[in-house]
Amino acid sequence: MKSFLCMITAFLLLSLPAQAGAANFAQAATETSKDLKQAQQEQQATQKEISTTLEKMESRLAALESRLKGEREGLARDQEELGRLSRLRAELSRELAEKSGDLKELTGHVRAAARDLLTLAENSPVTAEHPGRLETLRGYLNPGYFPGLKEIKNLVELYLEEMSANGRVLKRRGLLVNRAGEEIEGEIVRLGGFTTLYRVGEESGFLTLGPASGRLLAISGEPPWDMAGPLEEFIAGTTASAPVDISGGAALRQLSRRVGLWQHLESGGPLIYPILAVGLLGLLLALERFWFLQRVRANTDQTMNQVNRQVAQGDLEGARETASRLKGRPTGNVLLAGLKLEGCSAEVVEGGLAEAMLRELPRLERFLTALKVLAAVAPLLGLLGTVTGMINTFHVITVFGTGDPRLMAGGISEALVTTQFGLAVAIPLLVIASLLSRKAQRITGDMEEKSVALSAALIDRRMAHAA
């Protein structure tokens, strides 16, 4: 700094003009001295500031070194604690493994007991009185479920509840699914855990439990006649004896397969009655046609030969008397109409015989078209029943879901039974209509054959007279 100031002073002295006076030189020296003094003061301030900053940094460095030492000591303690915790963790892991084996064994026993009770509950009528029991027992069987003391106590209570209920007879009103698949309210009598009886209006019978939904379902078949009376009397309270299924439901399942014809028909719903009406009407028409066609059918060959001989001999009265034997029958009516045209031209005879046959055709084909229409209507009614039955099934699924097939049985039965009876009515009617049409065609062919033979005989007689 001093050398710098000297250089500035020298530069200023050299730059002064030679003619400057001593006064100017003295002034310049004074200013230079002031600048020098100011520069020295600034130097001292800067050195003092540097010293202060250096002291602060040294103090901070010492604090950081002390903190670092403390952190290292804390790290050492933490590492020691980590080692202790690692050893503790290993010890606890071994203890947990030992106790987990015991817990898994206990869980296995609890699940086995819950599975056995669930199997029993799915067939026990007591379950209908406790709707949530099946879901509770199924929860024990979830793979990630570990029961605690509360759950084990609850399982024991469920066992005790089932055993206690099996020793009692209970009469109550509750919901059940009747034979038509409708959920309604009725009188229910539970005989321990063996058998459950019900009565809804005029309908009574046995109940079984739906394992999926826990609802009581009516056995589809009516009880046998020797059981129906005691069952009604027991529910009414007039007798102390009642039929009991001690087979655990096996006998009731056999009974459910015994469905009478009328119950089978009723399961088809309201559309089964129009189908039966179509079948009955078709049967009446078919019987009438069989009776009529069988009555008008006759072996006319021998009669026709005799008529032709009598016409050729000129015995028209005898021919008319012979043809009268077939009066009321289509062939006889045609022969009588042709004999009335004796002596007429060939065109008149042929036209008269054709007109007579046309008069007889409606009698022969009567009701045949109606039979064919009925044969076509019956399966269409069955198809309509199928559609309505499926609609009812979807309505049940919307309300109750698909958990219980018995609730959907009503709609499915209506769909299938109506189709079955529709086809059962249509197929015989179609076959009968075809047979009757064939029989009518044979009678028509016989009329045509005999009318041609009579026409030829009348024309020959007329030509013989003309000759």
Side-chain angles (χ1 to χ4, degrees):
M1 180 65 72
K2 292 180 178 180
S3 60
F4 178 71
L5 293 176
C6 291
M7 289 176 65
I8 294 175
T9 304
F11 177 75
L12 291 174
L13 291 175
L14 289 176
S15 64
L16 291 174
Q19 64 271 17
N24 293 335
F25 180 80
Q27 184 179 1
T30 301
E31 292 178 354
T32 303
S33 297
K34 290 180 179 180
D35 292 338
L36 179 60
K37 186 177 181 179
Q38 183 178 2
Q40 289 174 349
Q41 292 175 351
E42 291 178 356
Q43 181 182 8
Q44 292 175 357
T46 302
Q47 288 177 352
K48 185 178 181 179
E49 182 179 356
I50 291 173
S51 299
T52 303
T53 304
L54 183 60
E55 290 176 357
K56 291 180 179 180
M57 292 183 67
E58 288 177 351
S59 176
R60 186 175 180 184
L61 178 60
L64 291 173
E65 288 177 350
S66 176
R67 183 179 176 184
L68 177 61
K69 183 179 179 181
E71 294 291 339
R72 286 177 177 173
E73 292 176 353
L75 177 61
R77 289 193 300 270
D78 291 343
Q79 287 177 344
E80 183 180 354
E81 181 68 15
L82 178 61
R84 187 184 69 81
L85 293 177
S86 298
R87 291 190 297 273
L88 179 60
R89 179 184 177 184
E91 183 180 351
L92 292 175
S93 297
R94 288 193 298 271
E95 185 178 353
L96 178 62
E98 294 175 359
K99 293 185 177 180
S100 295
D102 297 337
L103 180 61
K104 288 181 180 178
E105 183 178 358
L106 175 62
T107 303
H109 290 308
V110 172
R111 286 183 179 174
R115 187 179 296 107
D116 294 339
L117 183 56
L118 177 60
T119 303
L120 178 64
E122 287 179 341
N123 297 282
S124 173
V126 181
T127 302
E129 301 164 19
H130 308 280
R133 185 162 70 160
L134 292 179
E135 291 301 323
T136 302
L137 291 173
R138 287 168 184 152
Y140 283 85
L141 304 181
N142 291 332
Y145 180 76
F146 292 95
L149 291 177
K150 181 180 178 181
E151 287 76 13
I152 295 174
K153 181 180 178 182
N154 187 30
L155 182 61
V156 173
E157 290 176 352
L158 289 175
Y159 264 103
L160 294 176
E161 182 182 78
E162 177 68 22
M163 289 186 290
S164 175
N166 285 341
R168 295 197 307 266
V169 175
L170 177 65
K171 183 177 182 180
R172 64 185 179 91
R173 290 193 64 83
L175 295 177
L176 58 96
V177 180
N178 64 6
R179 295 176 190 141
E182 302 169 345
E183 189 174 41
I184 58 176
E185 184 177 357
E187 290 184 79
I188 300 174
V189 178
R190 177 174 57 79
L191 306 177
F194 295 104
T195 305
T196 306
L197 314 176
Y198 79 98
R199 181 173 63 184
V200 180
E202 299 295 329
E203 180 182 335
S204 61
F206 297 96
L207 292 174
T208 184
L209 186 76
S213 64
R215 294 185 178 92
L216 290 173
L217 312 177
I219 298 297
S220 57
E222 288 188 357
W225 63 270
D226 55 340
M227 290 186 184
L231 190 150
E232 286 279 355
E233 293 174 359
F234 181 79
I235 296 176
T238 59
T239 182
S241 61
V244 177
D245 179 15
I246 61 174
S247 64
L252 290 179
R253 284 192 291 271
Q254 291 294 330
L255 181 63
S256 65
R257 298 189 180 98
R258 297 171 54 183
V259 180
L261 177 60
W262 184 247
Q263 287 75 27
H264 188 58
L265 288 173
E266 286 183 334
S267 64
L271 282 173
I272 200 69
Y273 300 106
I275 295 175
L276 293 178
V278 168
L280 180 60
L281 180 59
L283 178 62
L284 293 176
L285 295 180
L287 291 175
E288 190 276 338
R289 284 293 85 191
F290 270 118
W291 176 80
F292 175 79
L293 294 178
Q294 192 66 29
R295 186 175 61 87
V296 301
R297 183 185 178 188
N299 186 7
T300 57
D301 292 339
Q302 183 177 359
T303 304
M304 192 63 216
N305 292 333
Q306 185 176 357
V307 169
N308 287 339
R309 284 198 307 272
Q310 291 173 336
V311 170
Q313 297 172 359
D315 187 7
L316 295 179
E317 290 299 328
R320 291 189 183 94
E321 183 179 351
T322 302
S324 298
R325 300 174 187 171
L326 302 176
K327 188 176 181 180
R329 301 177 182 177
T331 304
N333 293 338
V334 171
L335 293 177
L336 290 174
L339 290 174
K340 293 178 181 179
L341 300 176
E342 190 272 333
C344 298
S345 63
E347 292 78 5
V348 174
V349 172
E350 292 176 356
L353 290 173
E355 181 183 357
M357 284 190 295
L358 291 175
R359 283 196 303 267
E360 298 298 325
L361 283 178
R363 293 180 59 201
L364 296 175
E365 297 178 353
R366 186 183 179 187
F367 299 140
L368 295 182
T369 302
L371 277 175
K372 294 177 181 179
V373 171
L374 293 176
V377 168
L380 293 179
L381 288 174
L383 179 60
L384 179 60
T386 300
V387 174
T388 56
M390 295 309 298
I391 291 174
N392 293 335
T393 301
F394 288 129
H395 285 169
V396 172
I397 292 174
T398 303
V399 177
F400 299 102
T402 59
D404 196 341
R406 181 60 180 273
L407 292 174
M408 299 181 289
I412 296 174
S413 295
E414 181 177 351
L416 297 179
V417 172
T418 51
T419 303
Q420 177 190 20
F421 277 89
L423 295 175
V425 169
I427 293 172
L429 287 182
L430 191 61
V431 173
I432 290 172
S434 177
L435 292 176
L436 292 175
S437 296
R438 182 60 182 166
K439 187 181 287 289
Q441 289 174 1
R442 286 199 297 268
I443 295 175
T444 302
D446 184 64
M447 286 192 305
E448 292 177 351
E449 178 185 353
K450 300 306 183 285
S451 65
V452 170
L454 179 61
S455 175
L458 292 175
I459 292 173
D460 289 341
R461 173 175 171 73
R462 184 172 181 276
M463 292 178 62
H465 277 291

